[in-house]
Amino acid sequence: MKQTLRLLAIPLALLAAGLASAADKLTIQVSHDLNAARPSETITLPWSEVNKALPGALIQRIAVKDAKGKVLAHQVTNIAPLSKDPKGEGIAYGELIFQYDFAPGEKQAVFSVEKIDTLVPVFESKAYGRYIPERLDDFAWENDKIGHRTYGPALEAPAPPGSNKEVLRSSGLDIWFKRVPYSIVDRWYNKGHDHYHKDEGEGMDMYNVGRSRGCGGTGIWDGQTLYTSANYATWKVIANGPVRTVFELAYSNWDAAGVKVSEVKRFTVDAGHYFDQIESTFTFAGPAQLKVALGLNKTPTDKGQNPVIKLAKNQSNPSLTQWVDQASNGSIGTAIILPNAEGYAEDNLNHLILATVSSDKPLRYYVGAAWDKASPYNSDEKWQAYVKETAERMQHPIKVTLGKP
C-alpha cells in the first residue's frame, strides 16, 4: 500500500500543477452545422462566466487566443458603468466578444481566455456609432465595410426665417458607401455635405432616402397605406467597438389608422459584415397584433444616374433585394432579410416585406448594402448569393460551449 501511494504521488503532483494552470485559463468551444465559410463570426460569452472561471480577471489583463495561440481582438461590454464592484467580480460588464473566420468545412474551433501579466493595448475599432450634433442631430454608424445614418428631430423642425435650413421628416435609413476599412464618419461630417456627396477617394453618400423607408426603415401597413413615424426622438449607445457596436433609437407615438404606435430600434453592428441586425419593438394598445412593413426605396439613386433596378423576392430565405446599376456611380445592392416574413407589398415610394408583430415583442431582421467599387459583389448574381448565405448563417447560429467536450 505504501509503495502504491508513493507511485501515485508524482502523477497527483503533476495533476495539481495542471489544475493550477487551468485556473488561469478558460477554454471555449464553438461549433456550427454549415459547410460554408463563416468569416468574421462573432462569438459572445457572458462576463459572469469569465469571472467564474477566472476570478478577479481584469479586462486590461486578459488575452483571447485561438487554437494556434494567436491573440484575437476582443471587447468587453459595459452594461452598468455606475456599478460598485468591491469584490472585483466585473458586475458592470455584460459580454466578452471576439471574432473568428471559419474556413469552408471547418465546423468547430477552440479558443482560450487567459489571465496575463502585461497590459492589453486597445484594439483597432472596426465598429462605431454616434450622435452627430454638428449636423443637426443625425445618428451615424459604420463598420469596416459599410456606413449608415438616420435623422433626428432637429432636421424635422421648421426652418427659421432666412436660415435656409434643410427640413426633412423621415425615419428612413440612409447608406454611406465606403472604399476604406477605417472609420469615416467623423471625417465626412467634418468635410461637409458638398464633399461626402462626391467620391474623393474614401467613398460617397449616393443613396437617396427622402420620405421613403430608405434601406430597411419600418412602418405599419393596413393593406393599402403605410403609416410611418417621424424622425427618431432619442438615442442611446450601449456598446461601441472595437468588434461590435450596439445602440438604440426610439420613435415617439404616431398614428397608424387610429392606433397609437411607438417603436424602439436596437441596432447590432458587427465588424466584417455588410448586414446589421435590427430588433424593432413596437408598443401599442387595442389590436392584438399589427402588420409591419420594412421597405426599400423605389428611387434610391442621385439625379441623372438613370438607374436600372432589379428587384427580387426570395421566399425560401425570406428577403427583399435590389440590384441597382447606375450611369456613373457604379452598382449597388440593398437587402432586407426578414426571417418571419409573411409576404410582400408596395406603395408609391417603397417595395415592402411584411411581418406580424405583437406589442412589446421584438421583431428581428437584417439590413444590408454593398457597392461594386468597394466589395466583392459586382453583379446581381453575386449579391443574391451573399444575401442567401447571410440568411442561412442567421438560420444556423453557432453553439458556444465552455470547456473542451
Side-chain angles (χ1 to χ4, degrees):
M1 177 65 71
K2 290 182 180 179
Q3 183 178 8
T4 303
L5 288 175
R6 283 198 301 270
L7 291 172
L8 288 173
I10 293 177
L12 286 173
L14 291 174
L15 177 60
L19 289 174
S21 174
D24 291 328
K25 178 187 294 188
L26 169 62
T27 301
I28 304 166
Q29 178 177 280
V30 180
S31 59
H32 69 97
D33 58 3
L34 290 178
N35 290 319
R38 298 180 76 128
S40 301
E41 187 65 47
T42 305
I43 300 159
T44 65
L45 181 69
W47 181 261
S48 58
E49 296 294 338
V50 177
N51 187 72
K52 189 185 301 180
L54 308 175
L58 301 174
I59 62 173
Q60 72 273 26
R61 293 187 185 275
I62 62 169
V64 178
K65 299 180 181 180
D66 66 14
K68 296 180 179 179
K70 178 184 177 182
V71 175
L72 306 177
H74 71 266
Q75 171 181 348
V76 178
T77 60
N78 191 335
I79 58 171
L82 300 182
S83 297
K84 304 296 183 182
D85 191 15
K87 297 182 180 179
E89 296 173 336
I91 60 177
Y93 304 137
E95 293 179 314
L96 172 67
I97 303 173
F98 60 98
Q99 289 188 325
Y100 179 72
D101 296 327
F102 283 91
E106 182 183 15
K107 294 188 177 183
Q108 66 178 33
V110 176
F111 309 91
S112 64
V113 183
E114 305 173 17
K115 285 184 178 180
I116 59 175
D117 295 327
T118 57
L119 290 172
V120 177
V122 176
F123 296 101
E124 177 188 4
S125 184
K126 295 183 178 181
Y128 177 56
R130 74 173 177 93
Y131 170 69
I132 313 290
E134 62 266 39
R135 200 271 183 180
L136 298 172
D137 51 5
D138 287 2
F139 196 99
W141 64 100
E142 62 179 317
N143 61 11
D144 50 334
K145 302 296 186 182
I146 196 80
H148 298 270
R149 67 169 171 174
T150 194
Y151 316 111
L155 182 62
E156 187 180 4
S163 67
N164 293 320
K165 171 190 167 294
E166 183 182 0
V167 178
L168 177 61
R169 182 188 188 277
S170 175
S171 53
L173 304 181
D174 196 8
I175 308 169
W176 279 8
F177 293 95
K178 299 171 53 171
R179 285 187 181 272
V180 292
Y182 56 77
S183 175
I184 51 81
V185 161
D186 292 346
R187 181 179 287 181
W188 285 20
Y189 276 109
N190 190 42
K191 292 197 308 180
H193 178 278
D194 292 342
H195 286 274
Y196 62 67
H197 280 274
K198 298 183 294 184
D199 184 3
E200 298 179 335
E202 295 178 317
M204 64 186 295
D205 175 11
M206 58 175 154
Y207 188 80
N208 177 48
V209 177
R211 295 179 65 87
S212 79
R213 298 299 78 212
C215 181
T218 55
I220 303 300
W221 178 248
D222 71 354
Q224 294 182 323
T225 302
L226 185 65
Y227 298 89
T228 61
S229 70
N231 302 23
Y232 81 81
T234 61
W235 59 273
K236 177 183 179 182
V237 174
I238 298 166
N240 217 351
V243 178
R244 166 174 285 182
T245 288
V246 183
F247 63 92
E248 291 181 348
L249 301 177
Y251 296 81
S252 299
N253 279 344
W254 74 94
D255 182 84
V259 179
K260 293 295 183 182
V261 182
S262 63
E263 179 187 7
V264 175
K265 282 184 167 72
R266 173 173 283 213
F267 295 77
T268 300
V269 183
D270 284 354
H273 295 263
Y274 290 89
F275 279 83
D276 298 336
Q277 174 186 289
I278 307 176
E279 289 185 322
S280 282
T281 301
F282 298 88
T283 299
F284 51 89
Q289 295 180 317
L290 290 174
K291 188 76 73 177
V292 170
L294 292 72
L296 296 178
N297 187 7
K298 287 182 173 180
T299 56
T301 67
D302 289 338
K303 293 180 180 178
Q305 286 300 313
N306 302 319
V308 177
I309 301 176
K310 297 178 182 178
L311 182 75
K313 304 170 184 177
N314 187 333
Q315 297 181 359
S316 59
N317 289 297
S319 62
L320 180 67
T321 70
Q322 289 177 334
W323 183 257
V324 185
D325 292 317
Q326 303 175 92
S328 61
N329 285 340
S331 300
I332 59 174
T334 64
I336 302 165
I337 299 171
L338 179 58
N340 296 319
E342 299 172 354
Y344 301 88
E346 63 180 285
D347 67 0
N348 290 336
L349 298 177
N350 311 281
H351 293 289
L352 304 169
I353 187 169
L354 309 175
T356 298
V357 297
S358 300
S359 183
D360 295 325
K361 294 185 178 180
L363 174 70
R364 177 177 292 182
Y365 53 98
Y366 305 86
V367 172
W371 184 25
D372 69 337
K373 295 184 179 183
S375 79
Y377 313 112
N378 55 13
S379 69
D380 178 44
E381 292 74 19
K382 290 182 179 179
W383 178 239
Q384 296 294 341
Y386 176 68
V387 173
K388 180 181 178 182
E389 290 168 5
T390 302
E392 289 174 345
R393 282 179 68 167
M394 304 313 159
Q395 293 168 0
H396 296 265
I398 60 171
K399 179 181 179 182
V400 178
T401 305
L402 300 184
K404 294 182 180 180

